[in-house]
Amino acid sequence: MTDSTHPWAPAPAFSADPALASLPWQQRYANLGPDFVAPVAPAPLPEPYWVGHSAALAQSLGLPPGWAATDSALQAMTGNLVLKGSAMHAGVYSGHQFGVWAGQLGDGRACLLGELAGQEIQLKGAGPTPFSRRGDGRAVLRSAIREFLCSEAMHGLGIPTTRALCVTGSDATIWRETAETAAVVARVAPSFIRFGHFEHFSQRQQIPQLQSLADFVIDHYYPQCRDEAGANPYLALLAEVSRKTAQLLAQWQAVGFCHGVMNSDNMSILGLTLDYGPFQFLDAFAPGHICNHSDSQGRYAFSEQPNMAYWNLYCLTDALMPLIGDEDAATEAVDSYRSHFQAASQLCLAKKMGLSLADPRQKALTDMLLPMLAADQVDYTIFWRRLSHWAARMDDEDFSVMDLFINRQQMQTWQYAFESMHKGMGTTDVSARMLRANPKFVLRNYMAQEVITAAQAKDFSVLAQLQTVLENPFDEHPAHERWAGFAPDWAAAISVSCSS
Ligand code: AMP
Ligand code: MG
């Protein structure tokens, strides 16, 4: 059904390519029923065009080869055509935003098509849903490109994340701070369920629905939570989500990723990085860095992220209490986050330093290193990559790492300590391990901005080029050296906020 009152709503009259009309869609989440999802009426965008897509992800979903060359794929991924077996549904959730209960929030602009090969496909920006509140249900080209590239970059880095299948654009005007153009990002994950889905039903005392949701999550994604006879599966779920979240946060901190809006509705029940908005990879190492222009208090500053995840896990704990009952047991389960986070962080840092297991000496080295990086505002990614190369010879005459510091003497002392920790290990092996743990390429804000500027002028080749690099960020890519350098001075003026 088309919303004829919508400004961009000519009746869609597309017929699907036969290969796309016979895909084996499943609707497991939508089948939970009307307490969980509401149907969305298509609100077509005029004259869509491809901005980018991931061929590898399309293949893993079982989409036919060459699918992206078809007009029906373009229309379907813009939300203009509903393929046979798919549907358009918005899921309902609530959440805490910036520490305050915000009630029902979404999903205001993401629309679930269904599942292919066990992966849900959502269109973000395909138009208003029954939960859009005062929003337009749209996304702008700028934010869709940032989400697409960062999803694939995180995947390339080996960090759990929702994926992105494609972005389509349209010249329809979207108003944010200024006039922009529309885009739709098709994102992919086993599930997009958030902590906020649980908070939604719990706050409303809808306990049967809360239990159905928890059972759905356990049955499909955490079946091991039912393994222990007589144990409370919801308690086991809380413990598992705490562990997964700890692992995710350890990986964010180790790579220097700032999410920017860690509200409880942006926390995935599967421990995936979810909802890419004002995110940023650190340039200079700055623990207090705030990447979101709208976060005036620095609630989600880089160094606060692990605590904020823990805070959100407490929201989830509260929401699950009607199913868990035992408060002490719930506290113990959620508090396991802290030890899991410590262990996972130490392991990430061990790997960054070329070790296979955490080592007490490495903790001392890290404690010494991080204040040095902060004091001299050293580029975080470039430091680790140069150190990884330096480690192959640990040569006193190689100043590539030391050159990054103002206090060179202190760095030299640190490098001696680093060298002595690795005594007896083959330096070539240490270096090779480090090069697999410390990426050469991360999606810095200025890189996304260059892609956006080109795309706004209808040049999508820069996106495709950067995508190739970010899909394999540990490789050298000698032809793309320019993406591995320091951020240019103009990058400091880029301002990213919640507006997207
Ligand atoms: P965010 O802060 O981006 O996580 O968004 C919070 C909620 O607001 C989500 O449920 C979104 O679906 C919703 N939202 C954000 N932007 C829009 C928009 N332009 N139209 C409708 N809903 C939106
Ligand atoms: Mg969100």
Side-chain angles (χ1 to χ4, degrees), residues 64-371:
W67 76 290
T70 65
D71 188 53
S72 38
L74 175 60
Q75 300 296 346
M77 291 301 122
T78 311
N80 294 357
L81 164 70
V82 183
L83 295 174
K84 185 158 167 259
S86 76
M88 289 177 79
H89 283 112
V92 67
Y93 62 77
S94 298
H96 283 82
Q97 293 190 310
F98 291 90
V100 178
W101 175 245
Q104 183 176 308
L105 292 169
D107 212 312
R109 57 169 172 171
C111 172
L112 177 63
L113 300 183
E115 251 176 274
L116 287 176
Q119 302 282 319
E120 290 186 350
I121 305 181
Q122 270 196 349
L123 298 183
K124 182 169 174 180
T129 79
F131 312 116
S132 292
R133 299 174 290 162
R134 279 186 299 261
D136 58 8
R138 295 295 176 191
V140 294
L141 182 62
R142 159 179 62 85
S143 69
I145 286 177
R146 282 173 55 87
E147 173 142 13
F148 176 80
L149 277 178
C150 201
S151 306
E152 295 311 280
M154 291 296 257
H155 179 70
L157 290 164
I159 300 177
T161 178
T162 61
R163 302 285 305 275
L165 174 63
C166 58
V167 176
T168 66
S170 160
D171 288 340
T173 302
I174 302 294
W175 283 98
R176 293 296 181 258
E177 276 97 1
T178 57
E180 301 193 45
T181 60
V184 177
V185 54
R187 57 185 188 178
V188 175
S191 169
F192 288 92
I193 297 175
R194 303 145 189 268
F195 292 6
H197 282 84
F198 289 87
E199 292 178 274
H200 179 78
F201 296 110
S202 196
Q203 284 273 345
R204 295 178 178 213
Q205 304 281 315
Q206 291 180 300
I207 308 306
Q209 289 88 336
L210 177 69
Q211 184 164 357
S212 299
L213 180 68
D215 285 338
F216 181 88
V217 168
I218 292 172
D219 292 344
H220 293 110
Y221 312 110
Y222 291 101
Q224 69 276 25
C225 291
R226 292 201 205 280
D227 281 354
E228 216 181 308
N232 183 317
Y234 312 110
L235 181 63
L237 175 65
L238 178 62
E240 274 298 277
V241 177
S242 302
R243 189 176 64 82
K244 289 245 186 205
T245 307
Q247 286 172 343
L248 178 69
L249 266 288
Q251 287 189 273
W252 283 5
Q253 300 307 108
V255 79
F257 175 77
C258 310
H259 181 283
V261 208
M262 289 177 64
N263 293 332
S264 66
D265 60 306
N266 288 341
M267 298 292 295
S268 151
I269 202 72
L270 302 184
L272 307 173
T273 313
L274 171 63
D275 275 10
Y276 291 92
F279 69 82
Q280 188 181 6
F281 285 86
L282 292 179
D283 294 314
F285 183 71
H289 184 71
I290 304 164
C291 66
N292 179 357
H293 195 66
S294 317
D295 182 10
S296 52
Q297 306 289 315
R299 179 179 171 86
Y300 299 131
F302 176 68
S303 57
E304 288 302 309
Q305 296 190 124
N307 286 334
M308 289 298 109
Y310 185 43
W311 193 94
N312 285 325
L313 282 164
Y314 260 89
C315 295
L316 180 65
T317 308
D318 261 355
L320 287 172
M321 273 325 289
L323 305 180
I324 296 177
D326 181 341
E327 220 168 281
D328 292 342
T331 305
E332 193 184 320
V334 69
D335 281 354
S336 70
Y337 169 83
R338 294 200 288 192
S339 53
H340 284 307
F341 175 73
Q342 284 310 328
S345 292
Q346 287 310 317
L347 187 58
C348 284
L349 281 158
K351 287 185 177 162
K352 287 179 90 64
M353 292 199 195
L355 305 168
S356 336
L357 292 171
D359 179 308
R361 287 172 302 170
Q362 149 238 326
K363 170 144 184 6
L365 274 181
T366 313
D367 291 349
M368 199 165 133
L369 174 67
L370 297 181

Side-chain angles (χ1 to χ4, degrees), residues 437-450:
N438 295 297
K440 178 168 179 176
F441 302 95
V442 294
L443 178 60
R444 297 174 193 262
N445 265 348
Y446 88 89
M447 292 154 68
Q449 194 54 50
E450 282 191 23

